[in-house]
Amino acid sequence: MEYTQFIDGALTTNTNRESWVNYNPADNNPLGTVYQANEEDIEAAVASSQKAFQTWRTKTGAERGRVLLKTAEILRSRLEKIALLETQDVGKPLSESLAVDVSSAADALEYFGGMAATIHGDFVDLKNAFGYTRPEPLGICAGIGAWNYPIQIAAWKAAPALACGNSMIFKPSELTPATALELAQAFMDAGAPPGLFNVVQGDGRVGAMLTAHPGIAKISLTGSVATGKKIFAGAASQLKKVTLELGGKSPLIVFEDADISNAVSAALLANFYTQGEVCSNGTRVFVQHKIYDSFLSQLKERTEKISVGYPADPDTQMGALISKAHLEKVMGFIDAGKAAGATLLTGGIRPEKDFKGRDIRSGNFLTPAIFTDCEDAMEICKEEIFGPVLCILCFDSEEEVIARANDSAYGLAAGVFTNDIKRGHRVIHQIQAGTCWINNYNITPIELPFGGYKQSGLGRENSLAAIQQYTQLKSVYVELGNVDSPY
Ligand code: TXE
C-alpha cells in the first residue's frame, strides 16, 4: 500500500518523495510506504483548496449541509473497511473502531451538516439605522491530527470547518496515514468540489509548513502540549487563528457514597480504552478512604479480566500501543513509578501470549496496569503517560480532593462519582477542567463542547461552540438617514 497526498480530488501518483514504512502495531509488519509532502505538494494543496474555497463559500448552508450529510452516509456504508484500516494503523481493537471511531466521525458530519443551514448572524435595531452581523468563513483551515483517533479527529475538524464555508487541508499523524484518505474520497463521492478537503502526509515538518503558510488562515491541532506551544508560536507571526486540543492528566474522584460498581466501570473506561491512549483519560483516580479497599478489589479483578490480544480479533478488548518507541516510553513511566515507591498492583508487563493463547511477542502489547501507594508528586501522577496505566490515590475530605485534583498544569477533563446531587455539581464547579462528567467518564457526544483549561488547550471542538472557531464576524452598519458630520 502507498500512502500519498490527496490533492484536488485524487491521490497523487508522484512518489519521488522522502518516505518511510508504516507498521502494524500488532506485529510490527509493514503495512505500506508513506510519502512525506514536500513544498511543491503544499503549494499544490493550497492552490487547490483556495480554488475550492471560492466556490464553496458561495454555496448556501443547505447546499453545504447536503454534502456533509451524504459524506456521513458514505462513511457509514464503508464502516467495516474503514474500521479495519483504523485498527491496522492504530492497534486499537476492531470492536472499538467498529463501534466508535467511524460512527463518531459520521456523527460530526451529520451534526454540522444538519446545522449548516442554520448558521446566521444577528440583527440590531439602531436609531435611524440598523446593523447586522455575518459569520463569514476564514478561508483555508489546516487540521493536524494525532494518531489515537485518526478519522474521528479528521471529521471533528473538517465537519464544522466545511459547514461554515471554509476548505481544509488535513495532515494526519505520520503514524496513521490511512483513514484521512478514506474521508477525502468520501467527500469527493458525496459531490464536494475537488480541493475542498485535501490531505498531505508527513511529520512535524509538514505541520510546521502548514502553520507558516500565509495562504492558510487557521490551524486546528490535536496533539501534545509541546507541539501546541510550537504551533501557537508559529501562528503568532501572522496572528493566525488556532484551536489546540492537547493532553491531560485528569482526575476521576470517587466519593464514598458512589455506586462502586459504576465507578469501577468508569475508571476502566477512563484508563484502558484504546490502550489508554486517550487525551481525556482520568488517570488520577482519587478514591475516598472508606471505600478504598472494596473499590480496589473490584477494580483489580475486572482489570485482570481485560482480554489483551490481536486488535483485529472481534473479541479483543485491548490492542497494541501505537509504536515500539511509545511502548518503551510507557514502560519507562512504569519503571519510574516503581522506583519512586509506588506499588504495581497488577499488569504493566509485556505479555507473550494473548487471551486466546497466540504468540504476541512481536507486537507492542502491554497488560493494563494499576499503581497503588501513589503520591501526587510522583512522575506517574503528574505526567501524561498515554498508555494503560492507572494511578490510585486515596483522599479524606472534599476540600482536600478538590485542591489535589486542581494541582496540575493540565485541565482537559474531570469526573466525579457521588450519589449526592448537590456535591456532584458543587465539586465539578470547582474543578479546573473544560470537559467534565458526573457519574460517568469519557462520553463525548458531538452536541457538547470538548476542550481544555490551562495547558490542555485553546478553543473548543464540537457543538455550537465550534462554529465560532471556524467563522469571523463581520458587523455591518446601515444608515437610514443623513450623515451627521461636524465638518
Ligand atoms: O504528538 P505530537 P505525538 C500526547 C501523548 C503522546 C505525546 C506524543 O502524551 O505520548 O503527545 O505524541 C504534528 N508543527 N498526545 O508525538 O508530536 C505531528 O506530525 C506542526 C496527546 O504523536 O504532538 C502530528 O500530526 N505540527 C494527544 C501532531 O502534530 C507538528 C494525542 C501530533 O503530534 C509539529 C496524541 C510542529 N512543530 C498525543 N510537530 C491528544 N490530545 O489526544 C509535530 N506535529
Side-chain angles (χ1 to χ4, degrees):
M1 167 117 194
E2 293 195 325
Y3 310 93
T4 56
Q5 330 306 321
F6 193 105
I7 297 175
D8 215 34
L11 286 165
T12 58
T13 49
N14 187 348
T15 49
N16 176 24
R17 300 283 182 269
E18 181 186 335
S19 67
W20 63 89
V21 175
N22 183 32
Y23 293 100
N24 186 338
D27 49 19
N28 284 300
N29 285 330
L31 289 166
T33 307
V34 192
Y35 294 92
Q36 168 108 348
N38 63 14
E39 238 167 81
E40 197 185 311
D41 297 320
I42 300 293
E43 290 308 328
V46 170
S48 142
S49 283
Q50 183 57 30
K51 196 166 62 151
F53 172 59
Q54 293 309 339
T55 47
W56 188 247
R57 68 178 307 178
T58 64
K59 302 232 180 271
T60 64
E63 286 168 332
R64 294 200 286 259
R66 273 199 286 277
V67 173
L68 268 59
L69 292 169
K70 182 76 190 159
T71 308
E73 195 186 315
I74 292 170
L75 285 190
R76 291 196 193 280
S77 73
R78 296 174 188 167
L79 170 68
E80 277 84 11
K81 179 192 176 200
I82 300 173
L84 186 59
L85 284 171
E86 201 77 312
T87 282
Q88 286 170 344
D89 254 8
V90 183
K92 65 170 70 191
L94 187 61
S95 55
E96 286 187 21
S97 39
L98 279 171
V100 172
D101 295 71
V102 183
S103 11
S104 168
D107 286 351
L109 290 157
E110 283 159 2
Y111 180 81
F112 289 105
M115 185 201 285
T118 73
I119 298 170
H120 61 84
D122 279 333
F123 172 85
V124 183
D125 206 3
L126 299 165
K127 192 178 166 198
N128 221 14
F130 66 90
Y132 62 94
T133 59
R134 280 168 57 83
E136 296 188 345
L138 302 170
I140 304 174
C141 300
I144 301 179
W147 42 257
N148 55 344
Y149 280 85
I151 195 156
Q152 175 188 290
I153 291 170
W156 278 18
K157 296 185 189 309
L162 303 190
C164 293
N166 304 283
S167 56
M168 175 162 272
I169 301 175
F170 187 80
K171 188 197 85 61
S173 164
E174 54 272 39
L175 299 175
T176 51
T179 52
L181 299 173
E182 294 295 319
L183 180 60
Q185 188 59 54
F187 275 124
M188 286 308 297
D189 297 343
L196 185 67
F197 182 81
N198 286 321
V199 177
V200 291
Q201 303 285 359
D203 58 21
R205 290 169 293 165
V206 176
M209 277 156 77
L210 295 172
T211 307
H213 200 292
I216 292 174
K218 182 200 164 100
I219 311 288
S220 175
L221 164 80
T222 299
S224 62
V225 173
T227 301
K229 288 178 181 173
K230 283 187 207 159
I231 288 181
F232 202 21
S237 65
Q238 296 163 46
L239 287 179
K240 233 171 238 192
K241 315 273 181 292
V242 292
T243 299
L244 304 173
E245 201 278 276
L246 310 176
K249 190 74 191 175
S250 301
L252 168 57
I253 303 168
V254 185
F255 284 98
E256 61 190 22
D257 66 341
D259 177 319
I260 297 187
S261 163
N262 272 324
V264 169
S265 297
L268 297 170
L269 265 179
N271 281 276
F272 300 137
Y273 213 69
T274 307
Q275 304 79 239
E277 298 161 323
V278 181
C279 51
S280 52
N281 270 359
T283 45
R284 292 184 291 149
V285 181
F286 290 93
V287 183
Q288 202 162 15
H289 232 121
K290 200 168 148 198
I291 56 161
Y292 184 82
D293 290 340
S294 74
F295 181 90
L296 201 58
S297 70
Q298 288 186 43
L299 182 72
K300 179 172 182 287
E301 191 189 329
R302 289 175 61 184
T303 298
E304 287 169 350
K305 283 192 187 141
I306 292 175
S307 37
V308 179
Y310 275 112
D313 184 323
D315 298 328
T316 292
Q317 290 177 314
M318 184 181 285
L321 298 185
I322 185 74
S323 65
K324 278 186 185 164
H326 189 60
L327 172 67
E328 273 161 30
K329 185 177 147 194
V330 174
M331 296 288 288
F333 275 111
I334 291 174
D335 291 342
K338 289 194 272 191
T343 305
L344 186 59
L345 183 69
T346 185
I349 54 157
R350 294 194 58 190
E352 298 196 343
K353 292 193 185 320
D354 80 351
F355 68 108
K356 288 190 177 167
R358 291 169 293 210
D359 188 335
I360 50 169
R361 280 174 298 180
S362 58
N364 313 322
F365 294 92
L366 187 64
T367 54
I370 300 174
F371 270 114
T372 58
D373 302 316
C374 297
E375 284 170 20
D376 296 358
M378 287 176 180
E379 195 185 14
I380 51 169
C381 299
K382 290 187 92 71
E383 301 298 326
E384 181 175 49
I385 299 175
F386 226 58
V389 183
L390 182 160
C391 294
I392 294 272
L393 297 141
C394 196
F395 74 93
D396 288 308
S397 75
E398 185 179 313
E399 200 182 9
E400 169 209 339
V401 79
I402 291 169
R404 290 171 65 192
N406 284 336
D407 185 18
S408 170
Y410 295 112
L412 183 55
V416 171
F417 266 79
T418 176
N419 275 330
D420 178 342
I421 189 169
K422 291 182 189 164
R423 171 154 64 189
H425 293 286
R426 187 170 65 228
V427 171
I428 254 345
H429 292 182
Q430 293 175 79
I431 296 290
Q432 295 157 1
T435 307
C436 298
W437 297 275
I438 297 175
N439 292 335
N440 210 330
Y441 205 91
N442 262 351
I443 310 298
T444 54
I446 193 74
E447 296 86 349
L448 269 179
F450 185 81
Y453 282 13
K454 299 198 269 189
Q455 294 196 26
S456 288
L458 279 180
R460 291 291 176 271
E461 299 203 286
N462 300 346
S463 78
L464 279 170
I467 299 301
Q468 286 163 19
Q469 312 277 319
Y470 287 101
T471 51
Q472 50 196 344
L473 211 52
K474 178 174 282 174
S475 301
V476 182
Y477 176 100
V478 182
E479 181 59 60
L480 298 179
N482 292 321
V483 176
D484 182 12
S485 167
Y487 310 109

